[in-house]
């Protein structure tokens, strides 16, 4: 399985996520290569996003200093890398809490591969928007659906779960807890606006 091209591996992952995961694991990539794959995926995503911003800039009224800071290439790379690393950590550890056996190393590989596939979708989406300007919402829905499908099915395969609906519930619960924790931290550091009693 290690002689698969990236294109064939991408098709296999979408059609048969479990076989796609086994093919990825069969590459026996060292940990350093997995981190490099993550970094490469993040850089490619930032590059495609930067090209999209140049070709289809935001309207002036949507611009703001905070948005400019968050969308700056350097900031975006750091944010995405940290977010994907946290995602891999949660994918491995939350899954093991519910009886799975996936490792962080494999979760890191899965996360990097999902991001790589989404970069391809992002590039196709950009071309579609340029050719058919009204297709932006449709392609965004397809991209989001593919992201959810890959995340659920590859997490299921990674941990040896049998029920994808339980994986979905686990993802929803994890996002809820993570969102609450981030909101609490933001409030503790004064990053949220004060709520003034009426």
């Amino acid at each position: 399985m290690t002689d698969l091209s990236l294109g064939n591996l991408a098709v296999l992952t979408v059609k048969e996520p479990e076989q796609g995961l086994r093919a990825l694991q069969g590459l026996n990539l060292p940990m350093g290569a997995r981190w490099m794959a993550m970094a490469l995926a993040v850089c490619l995503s930032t590059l495609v996003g930067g090209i999209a911003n140049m070709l289809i800039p935001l309207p002036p009224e949507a611009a703001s200093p905070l948005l400019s800071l968050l969308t700056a290439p350097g900031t975006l790379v750091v944010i995405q890398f940290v977010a994907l690393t946290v995602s891999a950590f949660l994918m491995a550890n939350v899954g093991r809490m519910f009886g799975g056996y996936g490792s962080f190393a494999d979760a890191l590989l899965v996360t990097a591969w999902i991001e790589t596939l989404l970069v391809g979708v992002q590039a196709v989406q950009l071309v579609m928007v340029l050719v058919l300007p009204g297709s932006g919402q449709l392609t965004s829905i397809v991209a989001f659906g593919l992201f959810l499908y890959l995340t659920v099915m590859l997490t299921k395969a990674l941990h040896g779960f049998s029920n994808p609906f339980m994986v979905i519930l686990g993802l929803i619960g994890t996002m809820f807890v993570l969102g609450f924790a981030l909101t609490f931290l933001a409030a503790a550091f004064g990053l949220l606006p004060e709520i003034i009693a009426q």
Side-chain angles (χ1 to χ4, degrees), residues 56-74:
I56 313 171
L58 290 172
E61 60 271 17
S64 69
L66 179 60
L67 182 62
S68 298
L69 175 63
L70 293 177
T71 56

Side-chain angles (χ1 to χ4, degrees), residues 2-173:
T2 57
D3 59 348
L4 283 174
S5 68
L6 285 179
N8 289 337
L9 183 55
V11 172
L12 179 64
T13 303
V14 174
K15 292 177 62 177
E16 299 287 345
E18 187 168 348
Q19 291 185 29
L21 175 62
R22 302 302 168 234
L24 283 173
Q25 292 173 322
L27 297 174
N28 294 318
L29 295 177
M31 198 63 183
R34 298 175 191 225
W35 283 113
M36 288 178 62
M38 175 79 82
L40 178 61
V42 168
C43 289
L44 288 175
S45 176
T46 303
L47 177 62
V48 174
I51 294 173
N53 288 334
M54 287 190 297
L55 295 177
I56 313 171
L58 290 172
E61 60 271 17
S64 69
L66 179 60
L67 182 62
S68 298
L69 175 63
L70 293 177
T71 56
T75 306
L76 199 55
V77 165
V78 172
I79 291 174
Q80 287 193 45
F81 191 87
V82 171
L84 290 175
T85 300
V86 171
S87 297
F89 176 83
L90 292 174
M91 182 184 290
N93 289 279
V94 174
R96 285 204 296 267
M97 285 173 55
F98 288 93
Y101 51 75
S103 66
F104 173 72
D106 282 346
L108 187 68
L109 184 61
V110 166
T111 305
W113 181 234
I114 291 175
E115 181 67 11
T116 301
L117 294 178
L118 292 178
V119 169
V121 174
Q122 191 179 0
V124 171
Q125 185 178 12
L126 176 58
V127 173
M128 288 291 294
V129 170
L130 291 174
V131 175
L132 299 170
S135 64
Q137 289 186 341
L138 177 61
T139 54
S140 295
I141 292 172
V142 172
F144 184 68
L146 180 63
F147 164 73
L148 287 179
Y149 168 76
L150 290 174
T151 301
V152 170
M153 299 308 292
L154 289 175
T155 300
K156 172 179 170 289
L158 176 67
H159 288 290
F161 295 138
S162 59
N163 190 341
F165 296 104
M166 295 305 295
V167 177
I168 293 173
L169 289 177
L171 288 173
I172 293 173

